[in-house]
Amino acid sequence: MASEGSVERVETVRTRSARGNIVFAFAIALVLATAYLMRQILLLLYVSALFAVVLSPIIRAITRIHVGKWHPGRGLAILLLLLSLAAAATLFFAFALPPVLRDVQSLVAELPTRGPQLLDQLHRVPFVSHLNLSGINSKLQGFASNFAEYLFLSLSGWASKLADLGAVLFLTVYFMLEGDEAYHWVLSFFPKHTRERLNRTLLRADARMGKWLVGQGGLMLILGLCSLIVFVLLKIRYAYALAVLMGVLNIIPIVGAMVSMALVLLAAATDSWEKVAGVAIFYAIYAQVETSYLTPRIMKSSVDLSALGVLVALLMGSKLAGVVGAMIAVPTAVLVSVLIQEYLVQHDEPEPATLEVAP
């Protein structure tokens, strides 16, 4: 009888274990399905938290400013940073950008008449004179006549992007204000004996991720200065404003370069085709130098990540999440690198030195 009772208890335990495994599997599947459905929201939360970490060194620097015995608190430091960015953007868009846009608008309006003139100049260029450029002329005229329609159709997409940008800005401010509470709340899900190690690891990642903005600022400054030199030499209209725009939009991979280069090329096209070719050649060379040389080395010196790691992170980020993925690729790679070094990499322990006995 005792043996029968023990067998029944074993069967009961096995049944409960099987049911528990099934419930656990369904719970995991439910969590994954929910995460997939909410992937856009989760991406916005992650991007916002990441930007809060990246901007935290600037906030700490502002809070260390002392005027007598007074110094700004964290909330006021965030407000001062936002007001500075808003003031700089307002000055640029109110005074520097409108003349460029007016010239671009006039160029688009004159494309039906100026297009054939540009193509006639192209016929004088060697090797190009043998090409049939009538199709390009018709496309230029079609683009000019349908420009308003293209702009209207793209408004909905731009409105969605602006809404996402507003959500990221709001969440970033929230994480900067109350990020410590959210951070400790997440840590509370881990066992107490592993919490301290994870905390030290994340703090090391935070220190390295905060330096990403320094490296990105260096890349923006280099592009802005190189663009200014080239635009002044080529006598491009509004060279200073366009160089600033090139540098600032360099923080947005792919799209930032496309928007800024489109404006520069259109501004150059208002003068001559030779200026358009000069600007295009300059940026084609610079893009290769920045991608293959500047970005890996500057990011290595700022966030202590290998050049190969930076390139792989940029490729994977742009493939998985497009422009947003490319923006957060390097800080995410730093976080992953720190976690891997702490929890997965097995460091070789130094072998004890052996004393050789003289014969």
Side-chain angles (χ1 to χ4, degrees):
M1 295 292 293
S3 61
E4 291 180 0
S6 61
V7 171
E8 289 179 358
R9 285 195 296 270
V10 171
E11 292 294 333
T12 303
V13 171
R14 289 179 178 176
T15 302
R16 290 178 179 176
S17 178
R19 290 175 181 174
N21 292 333
I22 294 173
V23 172
F24 180 74
F26 273 110
I28 293 296
L30 181 61
V31 170
L32 292 177
T34 305
Y36 178 77
L37 293 174
M38 300 177 63
R39 61 189 182 277
Q40 295 296 333
I41 298 176
L42 294 177
L43 181 61
L44 291 179
L45 288 173
Y46 177 71
V47 171
S48 303
L50 202 61
F51 278 133
V53 171
V54 169
L55 293 174
S56 59
I58 301 178
I59 301 300
R60 288 194 292 267
I62 296 176
T63 56
R64 286 195 291 266
I65 297 175
H66 286 268
V67 180
K69 296 183 179 180
W70 176 86
H71 66 91
R74 190 175 185 84
L76 183 58
I78 295 172
L79 180 61
L80 290 175
L81 176 61
L82 293 177
L83 289 177
S84 302
L85 295 176
T90 301
L91 290 174
F92 181 79
F93 286 105
F95 298 102
L97 200 57
V100 181
L101 295 179
R102 281 197 297 268
D103 283 352
V104 169
Q105 185 180 6
S106 63
L107 174 64
V108 172
E110 296 173 1
L111 270 179
T113 56
R114 295 194 61 178
Q117 297 175 2
L118 291 175
L119 295 178
D120 289 339
Q121 294 179 5
L122 278 178
H123 278 292
R124 303 172 186 174
V125 179
F127 303 106
V128 181
S129 59
H130 301 287
L131 299 178
N132 183 14
L133 302 177
S134 58
I136 298 178
N137 185 22
S138 61
K139 288 182 179 180
L140 286 174
Q141 295 182 4
F143 172 77
S145 59
N146 298 324
F147 179 74
E149 182 181 355
Y150 295 151
L151 184 62
F152 177 77
L153 293 176
S154 62
L155 284 179
S156 60
W158 282 107
S160 176
K161 299 299 182 184
L162 289 176
D164 291 342
L165 181 61
V168 168
L169 179 61
F170 175 79
L171 290 172
T172 301
V173 173
Y174 173 81
F175 279 121
M176 285 191 292
L177 286 172
E178 303 185 10
D180 291 338
E181 296 181 6
Y183 174 73
H184 291 293
W185 178 75
V186 172
L187 282 181
S188 65
F189 285 92
F190 294 89
K192 194 172 183 179
H193 62 279
T194 61
R195 195 178 304 166
E196 187 61 31
R197 181 184 180 186
L198 178 61
N199 181 44
R200 291 196 303 267
T201 304
L202 293 178
L203 288 178
R204 287 202 307 272
D206 174 69
R208 287 175 56 182
M209 291 163 64
K211 298 177 182 178
W212 168 80
L213 192 60
V214 177
Q216 187 62 44
L219 290 172
M220 295 163 62
L221 181 62
I222 292 173
L223 176 57
L225 291 176
C226 292
S227 301
L228 178 61
I229 294 172
V230 173
F231 296 166
V232 170
L233 292 176
L234 293 176
K235 297 181 180 179
I236 303 294
R237 296 187 184 184
Y238 319 111
Y240 294 95
L242 292 174
V244 171
L245 186 66
M246 288 281 291
V248 171
L249 291 184
N250 191 40
I251 196 173
I252 306 175
I254 306 171
V255 174
M258 290 174 59
V259 172
S260 56
M261 276 305 299
L263 286 175
V264 174
L265 290 174
L266 288 172
T270 59
D271 290 331
S272 67
W273 181 256
E274 290 79 7
K275 293 183 180 181
V276 174
V279 170
I281 292 172
F282 154 71
Y283 190 75
I285 296 174
Y286 181 84
Q288 295 298 320
V289 173
E290 182 185 74
T291 303
S292 60
Y293 183 80
L294 292 177
T295 299
R297 281 158 179 79
I298 291 178
M299 287 301 172
K300 177 177 174 57
S301 62
S302 59
V303 299
D304 193 20
L305 199 65
S306 67
L308 180 60
V310 172
L311 291 176
V312 171
L314 290 173
L315 291 174
M316 292 181 63
S318 59
K319 184 65 176 179
L320 292 175
V323 176
V324 177
M327 286 185 65
I328 63 174
V330 176
T332 302
V334 172
L335 175 61
V336 172
S337 172
V338 172
L339 291 174
I340 289 176
Q341 289 177 3
E342 178 66 26
Y343 290 100
L344 296 181
V345 175
Q346 302 295 325
H347 299 283
D348 295 333
E349 296 182 0
E351 297 181 359
T354 58
L355 296 177
E356 295 183 0
V357 180

